[in-house]
């Protein structure tokens, strides 16, 4: 598990006797370890760290034309393709110094081999074009300088937001990315309209003493930078794997028969959810096989009106009452198409009421199966059974052996119920059960 925030958070570990500080930088997909005794900084590539994970499905396949082309990753969604001009053996996970517009940049190699060609083809990049160069692998001094530039990003973003607010510009600084050599910074901002930031760039240059590049991003890209959990319970798609955002319209919801409720269709960014486009092709393919019904179907016993359509099952439901959905008769899309042809030829089928009722699968809910109180009734039943068992078991206890006098008394009790004059020679019984005179005082009170 990795922890992430606007800035890399620090975790402390003990490695033998050396005290180390470890940083998890999920925005760049790496782990930074600093040894305080030697002062050495080590950066390791972390595949699958929160975002932009790359999986090489063509591992082990060799293609000479992509031998020297590598994909290099920088912060967030920024990636690029570079050619190895250093002559060094570069592989996935290496930190490399690459060519930039001004100066140089530092990135991590994430892909190599034929899979790079697939990525270039998906982005419309020709392998015959010109690519920027990989100068060499990063040295220890380059990594230290890179980490110092990263440490300035959070404070720079806070100050930039304050300056933009003081100047009254309707924009929001979403993120700041420093170049590997620390000489340039990219300010990602969000704005509804066009912003004149020429004066802002001058103020930034005087304040931070670096080259400034302003890059506008959308709210979807901002949500991808921040991250979060969607209503489905999973990580946001824009924060997990989406790098190219396609336009989404309400027609994607209409073709899926979704309710046009803005609160349900909008994501955390305030725009329509990206997942609305996932099943559009499937619905459009199913709708191509469903006939368009513009008027009621004619039957001998009346007109049947289309009430609803199950697109994926290709079943259409009709009713004789236009204002009621109590009695619905299902028809396959092919049957509806045949009935429409019959109506055009002046033929009316007999009736829909002879159609068999559809047997829908039973819905079994699992709500409450994981409730913590589901065993309460079971425990009560067990306790009742225990009490009954104990009561019955009490009758099976071995009887104590009675003395001869007690045996005789038991026989007399069986022969003469209570309240009868027992008389006879049973003097012991009479003395024991003789009624006491309530007026007589106790001996100790006399």
């Amino acid at each position: 598990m990795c922890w992430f925030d606007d800035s890399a958070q620090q975790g402390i570990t003990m490695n033998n006797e050396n005290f180390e500080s470890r940083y998890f930088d999920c925005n760049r997909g790496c782990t930074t370890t600093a040894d305080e005794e030697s002062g050495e900084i080590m950066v390791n590539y972390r595949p699958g760290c929160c975002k932009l994970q790359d999986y090489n499905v063509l591992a082990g396949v060799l293609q000479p034309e992509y031998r020297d082309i590598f994909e290099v990753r920088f912060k967030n969604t920024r990636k690029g393709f570079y050619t190895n001009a250093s002559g060094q053996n570069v592989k996935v996970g290496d930190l490399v110094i690459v060519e930039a517009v001004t100066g140089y940049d530092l990135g991590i190699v994430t892909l190599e081999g034929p899979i790079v060609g697939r990525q270039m083809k998906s982005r419309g990049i020709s392998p015959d074009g010109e690519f920027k160069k990989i100068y060499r692998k990063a040295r220890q001094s380059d990594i230290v300088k890179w980490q110092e530039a990263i440490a300035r990003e959070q404070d720079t973003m806070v100050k930039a937001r304050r300056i933009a607010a003081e100047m009254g510009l309707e924009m929001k600084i979403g993120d700041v990315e420093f170049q590997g050599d620390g000489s340039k910074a990219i300010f990602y901002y969000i704005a509804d309209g066009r912003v004149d930031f020429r004066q802002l760039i001058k103020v930034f240059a005087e304040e931070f003493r670096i080259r400034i590049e302003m890059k506008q991003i959308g709210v979807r890209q901002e949500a991808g930078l921040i991250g979060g959990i969607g209503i489905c319970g999973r990580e946001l798609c824009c924060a997990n794997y989406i790098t190219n955002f396609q336009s989404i319209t309400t027609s994607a919801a209409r073709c899926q028969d979704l309710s046009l409720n803005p609160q349900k269709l909008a994501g955390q960014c305030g725009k329509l959810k990206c997942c609305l486009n996932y099943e559009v092709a499937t619905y459009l393919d199913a709708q191509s096989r469903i006939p368009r019904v513009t008027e009621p179907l004619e039957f001998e016993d009346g007109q049947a009106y289309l009430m609803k359509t199950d697109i994926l099952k290709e079943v259409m439901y009709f009713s004789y009452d236009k204002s009621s959905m109590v009695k619905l008769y299902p028809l396959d899309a092919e049957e509806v198409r045949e009935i429409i042809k019959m109506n055009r030829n002046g033929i009316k089928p007999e009736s829909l009421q002879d159609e068999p009722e559809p047997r829908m699968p039973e819905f079994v809910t699992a709500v409450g199966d994981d409730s913590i109180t589901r065993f309460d009734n079971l425990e009560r039943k067990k306790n009742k059974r225990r009490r009954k068992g104990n009561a019955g078991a009490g009758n099976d206890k071995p009887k104590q052996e009675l003395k001869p006098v007690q045996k005789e008394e038991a026989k007399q009790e069986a022969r003469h119920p209570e309240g009868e004059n027992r008389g006879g020679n049973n003097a012991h019984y009479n003395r024991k059960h003789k009624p006491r005179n309530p007026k007589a005082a106790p001996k100790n009170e006399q």
Side-chain angles (χ1 to χ4, degrees):
M1 182 179 180
C2 53
W3 301 267
F4 59 96
D5 200 346
D6 291 338
S7 60
Q9 296 189 6
Q10 179 180 3
I12 299 176
T13 59
M14 295 296 295
N15 185 5
N16 297 331
E17 297 179 356
N18 297 331
F19 184 76
E20 295 181 351
S21 298
R22 181 171 297 176
Y23 300 86
F24 300 90
D25 192 350
C26 295
N27 293 325
R28 292 174 173 85
C30 62
T31 302
T32 305
T33 305
D35 191 344
E36 294 188 355
E37 292 185 359
S38 61
E40 185 178 359
I41 297 177
M42 298 184 63
V43 179
N44 298 320
Y45 173 54
R46 257 189 123 200
C49 181
C50 296
K51 189 174 182 180
L52 296 181
Q53 178 181 2
D54 294 308
Y55 180 73
N56 190 358
V57 297
L58 300 177
V61 180
L62 300 178
Q63 289 184 359
E65 59 268 27
Y66 302 110
R67 181 180 58 187
D68 294 330
I69 301 177
F70 297 87
E71 182 190 68
V72 181
R73 171 182 175 173
F74 303 95
K75 188 177 181 181
N76 296 322
T77 60
R78 190 166 72 93
K79 288 185 175 183
F81 298 99
Y82 296 83
T83 179
N84 184 14
S86 63
Q88 297 179 345
N89 184 18
V90 178
K91 61 182 183 300
V92 174
D94 289 342
L95 276 70
V96 292
I97 301 298
V98 300
E99 181 183 359
V101 178
T102 57
Y104 65 87
D105 205 350
L106 193 150
I108 303 174
V109 178
T110 54
L111 282 181
E112 63 178 344
I115 193 66
V116 176
R118 298 290 184 91
Q119 294 286 342
M120 293 168 59
K121 186 177 180 181
S122 64
R123 301 185 186 183
I125 301 175
S126 174
D128 299 330
E130 294 184 0
F131 298 94
K132 294 181 180 179
K133 300 177 182 179
I134 296 177
Y135 290 141
R136 53 180 170 80
K137 290 184 180 180
R139 303 190 185 99
Q140 183 64 27
S141 59
D142 300 325
I143 296 176
V144 172
K145 197 171 186 178
W146 180 50
Q147 290 296 317
E148 291 176 354
I150 291 175
R152 298 170 54 191
E153 290 179 351
Q154 180 68 13
D155 294 337
T156 303
M157 184 180 66
V158 174
K159 293 179 180 179
R161 286 181 177 179
R162 186 182 68 250
I163 294 172
E166 292 175 354
M167 297 181 65
L169 298 177
E170 295 182 359
M171 59 182 296
K172 176 185 176 183
I173 306 295
D175 195 11
V176 177
E177 178 184 1
F178 271 82
Q179 197 168 273
D181 57 358
S183 63
K184 177 184 174 182
I186 303 174
F187 289 80
Y188 298 94
Y189 71 94
I190 305 152
D192 296 332
R194 187 174 179 179
V195 180
D196 185 6
F197 46 76
R198 289 175 293 183
Q199 185 64 28
L200 180 66
I201 292 177
K202 296 179 181 179
V203 177
F204 282 175
E206 294 176 359
E207 178 71 21
F208 305 119
R209 302 293 180 182
I210 53 176
R211 295 185 182 92
I212 306 297
E213 179 181 349
M214 304 296 294
K215 188 174 182 180
Q216 186 174 3
I217 60 175
V219 290
R220 287 191 174 94
Q221 293 167 319
E222 181 193 18
L225 296 178
I226 297 174
I229 304 298
I231 193 173
C232 59
R234 303 187 64 178
E235 187 180 4
L236 295 179
C237 299
C238 56
N240 191 9
Y241 65 90
I242 294 180
T243 56
N244 299 323
F245 296 91
Q246 300 178 356
S247 60
I248 305 170
T249 60
T250 54
S251 61
R254 289 193 182 95
C255 72
Q256 300 177 60
D257 282 346
L258 297 177
S259 176
L260 299 180
N261 187 348
Q263 295 180 353
K264 294 183 178 180
L265 297 181
Q268 296 185 7
C269 59
K271 300 293 183 179
L272 294 176
K273 295 179 181 178
C274 298
C275 55
L276 290 176
N277 281 346
Y278 293 169
E279 299 179 0
V280 170
T282 304
Y283 276 88
L284 292 178
D285 179 64
Q287 284 181 348
S288 64
R289 296 186 293 271
I290 296 177
R292 184 177 181 183
V293 179
T294 57
E295 55 186 13
L297 302 182
E298 297 289 342
F299 292 90
E300 292 181 358
D301 55 352
Q303 295 180 340
Y305 299 91
L306 178 63
M307 305 303 292
K308 66 176 184 177
T309 303
D310 193 332
I311 300 175
L312 297 181
K313 292 183 178 180
E314 300 181 15
V315 176
M316 307 175 73
Y317 293 86
F318 291 85
S319 174
Y320 286 101
D321 188 358
K322 188 177 181 179
S323 60
S324 176
M325 297 185 66
V326 176
K327 292 184 179 181
L328 297 179
Y329 301 94
L331 286 176
D332 292 336
E334 291 295 331
E335 297 180 4
V336 175
R337 185 176 286 107
E338 293 177 1
I339 294 174
I340 293 175
K341 291 180 181 179
M342 295 172 64
N343 291 158
R344 289 176 181 174
N345 296 329
I347 302 174
K348 295 183 180 180
E350 292 182 0
S351 176
L352 274 177
Q353 299 181 6
D354 298 335
E355 295 290 334
E357 291 289 334
R359 302 185 65 180
M360 304 297 292
E362 295 183 0
F363 175 74
V364 180
T365 178
V367 176
D369 288 353
D370 55 348
S371 175
I372 60 175
T373 61
R374 65 184 184 276
F375 295 113
D376 291 351
N377 295 331
L378 184 61
E379 290 294 332
R380 294 192 188 113
K381 291 180 181 179
K382 288 183 178 179
N383 293 335
K384 288 182 180 179
R385 291 173 184 172
R386 288 172 186 166
R387 287 196 294 269
K388 289 181 180 179
N390 294 336
N395 297 331
D396 297 336
K397 291 181 179 180
K399 296 181 180 180
Q400 296 180 357
E401 188 174 355
L402 300 177
K403 295 180 180 179
V405 179
Q406 293 177 347
K407 290 181 179 179
E408 187 65 25
E409 291 178 359
K411 291 181 181 178
Q412 292 295 335
E413 288 180 0
R415 292 172 185 170
H416 303 282
E418 289 187 8
E420 294 183 1
N421 185 12
R422 293 170 174 81
N425 297 327
N426 196 358
H428 177 76
Y429 183 90
N430 294 334
R431 286 195 306 269
K432 185 177 180 180
H433 294 279
K434 184 177 180 181
R436 183 181 177 183
N437 186 6
K439 296 182 181 181
K443 292 182 181 180
N444 57 1
E445 293 181 2
Q446 291 177 358

